[in-house]
Amino acid sequence: MRRALDALYDGCAWLAAVFMIGVLVMVLLSVLGRQLHFHVPGTDAYAGYSMAAAGFLALAHTLKRNEHIRVTLVLGKLTGGARRGMELWSLSAAVLLSGLFAWFSLRLVMQSHEFNDISTGNDATPLWIPQLGMALGTLVLFIAFVDEWVLELRGQRQHIGGPETRHE
C-alpha cells in the first residue's frame, strides 16, 4: 500500500511538472507571437489553467515531503501525549477540510460538465476540463492527509522538529 500511495503522490508531482512546462510553452508562444506578429488565441487562459493544475497537483507531494509551511509555535513546545493529541486534532481538521475541498471541487467539475459551462475568453474551453486538475489535486491531497492521520495513529509519522522518524 505504501508503494502505491507514494507512486500516486509522485505521479501527481510529475503531472504538475508537465503543467509547469505547459505554462512555459504558453508564455513562450505568446512572446514569440508578439515578436513575429501572429496571435494564438487562448494562450493567457491556457497558461492560467496550467498554473492552477500545477499548483493543485503538487499539493499532496509537497505535504508528504514535509515542505508545506507549518506554524509549529505551539506544537514545538508540546511533548508526549499532548503533542500527539494536538497532531491528531490538527490532522483530523485537515482531513475534514481537505475532504470538503475535494468534494466541492469534484462537484464543481460535474456541474460544469452538466451545465456545459465554457470560459468567457476567446478560447471557449469547456470549464470542466481545466477544473479536473483542481479536483484531482484536492482528492489526492485528501488521501495524503488521511495517510498522515493513519501514520500518526500508528506512531509512524515524522514530526517536524521532533526526534521521531518517518516509516518508509
Side-chain angles (χ1 to χ4, degrees):
M1 181 63 117
R2 173 86 276 135
R3 273 191 262 185
L5 288 172
D6 288 342
L8 176 65
Y9 308 140
D10 290 344
C12 282
W14 279 101
L15 197 52
V18 168
F19 278 104
M20 285 301 294
I21 292 169
V23 173
L24 173 67
V25 168
M26 290 298 109
V27 170
L28 288 176
L29 191 57
S30 181
V31 168
L32 285 173
R34 265 186 248 119
Q35 295 299 316
L36 301 175
H37 307 290
F38 68 89
H39 177 67
V40 178
T43 53
D44 291 344
Y46 286 111
Y49 300 151
S50 293
M51 181 60 75
F56 281 102
L57 289 167
L59 287 173
H61 187 267
T62 306
L63 173 72
K64 295 303 286 183
R65 299 295 182 263
N66 289 324
E67 296 296 327
H68 278 247
I69 296 171
R70 289 184 64 187
V71 179
T72 57
L73 185 64
V74 174
L75 278 173
K77 304 285 185 218
L78 299 175
T79 59
R83 181 176 179 130
R84 187 161 190 264
M86 185 61 83
E87 288 280 0
L88 281 170
W89 182 88
S90 299
L91 286 167
S92 296
V95 165
L96 175 68
L97 292 173
S98 64
L100 288 169
F101 197 10
W103 169 257
F104 285 106
S105 295
L106 290 165
R107 188 172 153 208
L108 178 65
V109 170
M110 290 186 295
Q111 287 175 341
S112 291
H113 185 268
E114 181 182 333
F115 299 138
N116 295 316
D117 281 344
I118 60 169
S119 69
T120 57
N122 58 3
D123 60 305
T125 301
L127 287 178
W128 67 269
I129 297 170
Q131 290 168 352
L132 281 174
M134 178 179 71
L136 179 61
T138 57
L139 179 62
V140 177
L141 179 65
F142 168 69
I143 292 167
F145 271 123
V146 171
D147 183 15
E148 289 291 300
W149 188 82
V150 169
L151 287 172
E152 182 65 33
L153 266 180
R154 298 167 109 190
Q156 298 172 332
R157 186 168 168 268
Q158 177 184 351
H159 294 148
I160 306 297
E164 298 86 359
T165 58
R166 166 177 259 136
H167 173 75
E168 294 288 340

